[in-house]
């Protein structure tokens, strides 16, 4: 008997994205996915192998988009020779993604990669999730070198505060709520500037 096919796997991932943002990971089911996407239960299982793989693949798709957007903004800023501006651009990337595709940004900030990376996830998707760390670290190291001409752990940690910790504290709640205020982005820019002024320890 031939295996059922999902003719539009992106439709399943779109449905998963909507359900994850609307209801959270705990309530995601194959039945809900089938109803939202129009695919059959069997075709979803055969195409993805597990519900965990669907959730991880949906998040991975948007996380990759986010990192690509972040890297593009960093590259554009570095082309001007301004490392500080590049760090500011990287920190503001979640707000930029929310402007371009709010639901994608909501998915990225609502779930955590480590919670999605389970033994039930298909190997190719799991590899993609693991590769995200290397891509992010490459960007952080690039920014540290651009600002201080050093890529050691201390310099990268300062950039991590600017690009990961501060946006998480200031932007993620507003992204989840559906609207990022310009004032919050201004606060983030000021906070990033202050952290860069302190710099890494000598």
């Amino acid at each position: 008997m031939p295996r059922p096919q999902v003719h539009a796997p992106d439709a399943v991932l779109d449905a998963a994205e909507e359900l994850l943002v609307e209801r959270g990971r705990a309530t995601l089911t194959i039945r809900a996915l089938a109803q939202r996407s129009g695919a059959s239960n069997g075709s979803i299982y055969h195409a993805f192998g597990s519900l965990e793989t669907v959730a991880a693949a949906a998040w991975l798709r948007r996380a990759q988009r986010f990192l690509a957007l972040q890297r593009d903004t960093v590259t554009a800023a570095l082309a001007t020779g301004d490392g500080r501006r590049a760090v500011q651009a990287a920190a503001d990337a979640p707000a930029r993604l929310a402007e371009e595709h709010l639901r994608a940004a909501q998915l990225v900030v609502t779930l955590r990669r480590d919670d999605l990376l389970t033994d039930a996830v298909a190997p190719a998707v799991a590899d993609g999730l693991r590769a995200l760390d290397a891509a992010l670290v490459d960007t952080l190291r690039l920014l540290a070198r651009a600002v201080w001409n050093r890529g050691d752990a201390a310099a990268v940690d300062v950039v991590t505060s600017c690009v990961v910790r501060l946006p998480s504290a200031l932007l993620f709640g507003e992204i989840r709520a559906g609207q990022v205020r310009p004032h919050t982005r201004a606060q983030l820019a000021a906070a990033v500037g202050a952290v860069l002024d302190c710099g890494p320890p000598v």
Side-chain angles (χ1 to χ4, degrees):
M1 181 176 178
R3 290 164 54 128
Q5 297 294 316
V6 174
H7 296 294
D10 279 347
V12 175
L13 297 180
D14 288 342
E17 180 178 304
E18 292 169 7
L19 292 167
L20 288 165
V21 170
E22 292 170 11
R23 306 179 190 177
R25 174 66 186 87
T27 61
L28 184 68
T29 65
I30 291 292
R31 182 178 179 182
L33 275 175
Q35 290 175 339
R36 184 69 65 100
S37 68
S40 70
N41 292 10
S43 67
I44 295 172
Y45 272 119
H46 279 287
F48 293 96
S50 69
L51 184 61
E52 289 79 6
T53 296
V54 177
W59 187 86
L60 175 62
R61 180 177 64 156
R62 296 314 188 186
Q64 288 172 331
R65 175 176 177 169
F66 166 69
L67 288 180
L69 180 152
Q70 185 179 63
R71 186 69 179 223
D72 288 347
T73 62
V74 165
T75 300
L78 289 178
T80 70
D82 190 339
R84 289 175 63 95
R85 180 181 169 194
V87 177
Q88 298 275 7
D92 191 58
R96 296 254 335 247
L97 180 62
E99 285 181 330
E100 294 183 8
H101 196 305
L102 177 59
R103 196 178 66 216
Q106 288 173 322
L107 182 63
V108 169
V109 304
T110 297
L111 300 179
R112 291 175 1 105
R113 188 210 68 158
D114 290 349
D115 295 331
L116 295 166
L117 189 55
T118 69
D119 292 340
V121 173
V125 176
D127 288 345
L129 291 171
R130 295 187 187 97
L132 295 175
D133 275 351
L136 177 59
V137 169
D138 284 347
T139 297
L140 297 174
R141 191 171 289 119
L142 176 68
L143 289 168
R145 290 193 176 113
V147 178
W148 300 295
N149 196 30
R150 49 187 281 198
D152 57 276
V156 170
D157 188 62
V158 174
V159 174
T160 301
S161 291
C162 295
V163 174
V164 178
R165 299 182 189 117
L166 286 174
S168 176
L170 294 173
L171 294 180
F172 284 16
E174 293 190 359
I175 291 173
R176 284 190 287 266
Q179 184 175 17
V180 178
R181 298 175 300 161
H183 185 66
T184 304
R185 294 174 80 171
Q187 287 178 323
L188 175 61
V192 169
V195 171
L196 291 177
D197 284 343
C198 290
V202 178

